[in-house]
Amino acid sequence: MSEASTAQALVLDFGGVISRMLFETHPLTEQALGLPPGTLTWKGPFDPSTDPLWQAMQADQLSERDYWMARTREVGRLVGEEWDSMETFVQRARGADVEAVIRPEAVATIEAAKAAGKRLAILSNELDLFYGADFRSRLPLLQHFELIVDATYTGILKPDPRAYAAVTEALGLPASACVFVDDQKRNADGGVKAGMQVVHFDVLQPAASFAKARELLGL
């Protein structure tokens, strides 16, 4: 039996994998906030040279949460406000059109996995922290998932082994039966250590990354 045929569940990170990164939607953000086009110059993985703070995060000098809180405060100041929660940034930047920031490749893969009888879970470090709890009700796609493990509530951040164990235990599956997709290398490496089949998601090539996940699932 091939390893691919043993995969029973698709476990996805949310931000960057299911949703486009904020770097990808700077024009939407600038428009929503009334900022001149080109105001936001930091581009994270899309052009690390523009973003020393991102480089520091990749070197484990600060956490992903610290990175986004710094950006939140910075963008708040640009509009003359004091922002102290990531949720404020995301809701103001992305407004009412939730669907506009979801990757179409993610939708296609999730629907294909569901149709094939694969189980679906999300393992996120910051889903409700970043997006706000009401976001879930505005994104019907999330209803496909039987399990959402969100460190907003558990307090256990990937790559802590307990984060991955929370998913496999709740699903009642061995780690090897789960295909895990995450755009942060440290979190992908954590999935490997946990024994999962892992796709380190490339935000520069989302279609190729989702194709790899479908391949592992035998879709």
Side-chain angles (χ1 to χ4, degrees):
M1 181 182 281
S2 72
E3 189 176 28
S5 67
T6 67
Q8 298 173 54
L10 177 61
V11 182
L12 299 174
D13 178 33
F14 187 80
V17 174
I18 296 175
S19 74
R20 293 185 172 101
M21 303 185 87
L22 279 163
F23 310 105
E24 295 174 75
T25 55
H26 278 342
L28 286 177
T29 299
E30 290 161 350
Q31 188 176 8
L33 298 176
L35 296 170
T39 298
L40 305 177
T41 56
W42 38 272
K43 295 179 180 172
F46 298 90
D47 187 355
S49 68
T50 65
D51 203 335
L53 201 61
W54 178 264
Q55 294 177 49
M57 189 194 102
Q58 294 302 313
D60 281 333
Q61 291 165 12
L62 74 162
S63 72
E64 195 171 8
R65 287 189 180 190
D66 290 339
Y67 174 90
W68 285 113
M69 276 312 307
R71 292 300 182 206
T72 294
R73 294 189 178 100
E74 174 189 323
V75 175
R77 287 193 293 270
L78 286 173
V79 296
E81 299 175 22
E82 290 291 325
W83 291 357
D84 57 9
S85 90
M86 183 67 201
E87 182 182 338
T88 304
F89 183 9
V90 173
Q91 290 186 343
R92 292 283 295 278
R94 300 200 146 170
D97 192 1
V98 170
E99 303 282 350
V101 301
I102 301 302
R103 296 193 190 281
E105 304 94 341
V107 176
T109 299
I110 289 161
E111 290 177 346
K114 183 82 171 176
K118 304 297 182 182
R119 298 172 71 186
L120 292 164
I122 286 172
L123 177 58
S124 172
N125 276 357
E126 65 284 297
L127 179 57
D128 285 6
L129 177 76
F130 278 23
Y131 290 85
D134 72 316
F135 176 85
R136 295 194 193 192
S137 63
R138 293 190 290 130
L139 187 59
L141 183 70
L142 292 182
Q143 291 164 16
H144 289 315
F145 291 84
E146 69 174 271
L147 175 68
I148 296 178
V149 175
D150 181 0
T152 302
Y153 306 107
T154 66
I156 300 170
L157 294 165
K158 297 171 290 187
D160 188 312
R162 294 173 297 167
Y164 309 91
V167 172
T168 54
E169 287 167 12
L171 292 175
L173 290 173
S176 60
C178 299
V179 174
F180 173 61
V181 185
D182 199 295
D183 64 300
Q184 292 296 323
K185 187 175 187 303
R186 71 185 86 173
N187 299 340
D189 289 346
V192 172
K193 287 179 186 166
M196 293 173 157
Q197 301 182 52
V198 174
V199 176
H200 177 205
F201 189 86
D202 184 352
V203 294
L204 304 179
Q205 300 186 60
S209 294
F210 277 115
K212 178 77 189 300
R214 289 196 300 274
E215 181 186 329
L216 289 173
L217 287 162
L219 300 180

